[in-house]
């Protein structure tokens, strides 16, 4: 399966996917990395690994539609089977999502449906949560609300700072995302009618 990864920043999740996809038995190849930031740190890291990179800076386009049209046109030439959003800080339009329905996945640093949106670790600490974690989910029109593919929980420890918790979750993100991509690429987990369908053992 051909995979394109979207990033906006350092791309640590993208790197975890690239590393996993380098394993001979992995059912997907990362064919390109796309960013909405020309200076995203992950672009240089991907390029250094010989992966095609593309950046589409929003202010270079007259509208969100034009911005997405440019990305969609490049995607057509890349013909991805799956799109992985990995620290991509921009919402995709319904048009974009429908063009790749059931084939866009995202990683979010909370146990959705708890704490969609930003500052998830601060909110978990403020709420006195004793658990936090990450969720890989299918992308649908709403932000961080698509059907879940895989989740990992971590403890929130007394005295945790945001950085402590973020670091603990990030370690799990780097394990969960490749596992989730494998399941989707193998067809063991798919989205159907807005719900997750799992083959036996597709946990
Ligand atoms: C991660 O916490 C990820 O869950 C969120 O953005 C953060 C940075 O991701 N989406 P990365 O290091 O750019 O992959």
């Amino acid at each position: 399966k051909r995979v394109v990864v979207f990033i906006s920043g350092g791309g640590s999740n993208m790197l975890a996917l690239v590393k996993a996809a380098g394993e001979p038995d992995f059912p997907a190849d990362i064919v390109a990395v796309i960013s909405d930031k020309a200076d995203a740190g992950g672009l240089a890291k991907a390029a250094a690994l010989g992966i095609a990179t593309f950046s589409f800076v929003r202010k270079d386009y007259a509208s969100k539609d034009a911005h997405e049209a440019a990305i969609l046109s490049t995607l057509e030439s890349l013909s991805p089977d799956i799109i992985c959003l990995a620290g991509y800080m921009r919402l995709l339009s319904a048009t974009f999502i429908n063009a790749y329905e059931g084939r866009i996945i995202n990683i979010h640093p909370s146990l959705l449906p708890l704490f969609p949106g930003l500052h998830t670790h601060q909110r978990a600490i403020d709420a006195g949560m004793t658990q936090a974690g990450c969720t890989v989910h299918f992308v649908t029109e709403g932000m961080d609300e698509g059907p879940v593919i895989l989740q990992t929980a971590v403890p929130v420890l007394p005295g945790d700072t945001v950085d402590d918790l973020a670091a603990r979750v990030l370690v799990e993100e780097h394990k969960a995302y490749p596992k989730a991509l494998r399941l989707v690429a193998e067809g063991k987990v798919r989205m159907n009618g807005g719900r997750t369908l799992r083959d036996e053992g597709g946990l």
Side-chain angles (χ1 to χ4, degrees):
K1 292 281 191 274
R2 296 172 58 83
V3 174
V4 172
V5 183
F6 282 42
I7 65 170
S8 296
S12 73
N13 275 289
M14 175 274 295
L15 288 174
L17 293 174
V18 167
K19 187 165 174 287
E23 300 296 317
D25 72 329
F26 200 79
D29 294 307
I30 311 300
V31 299
V33 174
I34 287 179
S35 182
D36 61 331
K37 304 274 185 243
D39 59 351
L43 287 177
K45 295 172 194 166
L49 293 168
I51 298 169
T53 59
F54 303 83
S55 63
F56 299 87
V57 179
R58 173 66 182 80
K59 69 177 184 326
D60 294 348
Y61 297 87
S63 66
K64 179 184 173 85
D65 280 1
H67 183 238
E68 288 196 346
I71 297 172
L72 286 167
S73 164
T74 294
L75 283 176
E76 243 179 273
S77 66
L78 294 166
S79 33
D81 300 296
I82 301 167
I83 292 171
C84 291
L85 309 184
Y88 188 66
M89 306 311 275
R90 199 171 289 277
L91 288 180
L92 300 175
S93 69
T95 307
F96 191 114
I97 291 167
N98 292 335
Y100 288 91
E101 187 172 15
R103 299 190 289 143
I104 309 177
I105 64 180
N106 179 48
I107 189 154
H108 180 76
S110 79
L111 294 174
L112 291 172
L114 283 173
F115 310 125
L118 300 174
H119 314 302
T120 60
H121 304 309
Q122 185 62 62
R123 292 154 66 196
I125 290 169
D126 292 350
M129 300 294 294
T130 59
Q131 281 199 73
C134 59
T135 302
V136 185
H137 62 95
F138 288 106
V139 172
T140 53
E141 281 176 55
M143 176 180 67
D144 302 329
E145 66 170 29
V148 170
I149 297 166
L150 195 153
Q151 294 184 300
T152 305
V154 302
V156 180
L157 302 173
D160 264 347
T161 63
V162 167
D163 288 350
D164 295 331
L165 182 54
R168 193 174 305 127
V169 172
L170 198 59
V171 167
E172 298 308 324
E173 291 180 40
H174 296 164
K175 292 186 265 184
Y177 215 166
K179 272 176 75 175
L181 176 55
R182 177 189 282 275
L183 289 170
V184 174
E186 288 173 341
K188 288 187 176 161
V189 176
R190 56 198 181 288
M191 189 174 95
N192 184 305
R195 282 184 168 71
T196 303
L197 283 182
R198 288 185 178 86
D199 290 356
E200 289 67 49
L203 275 180

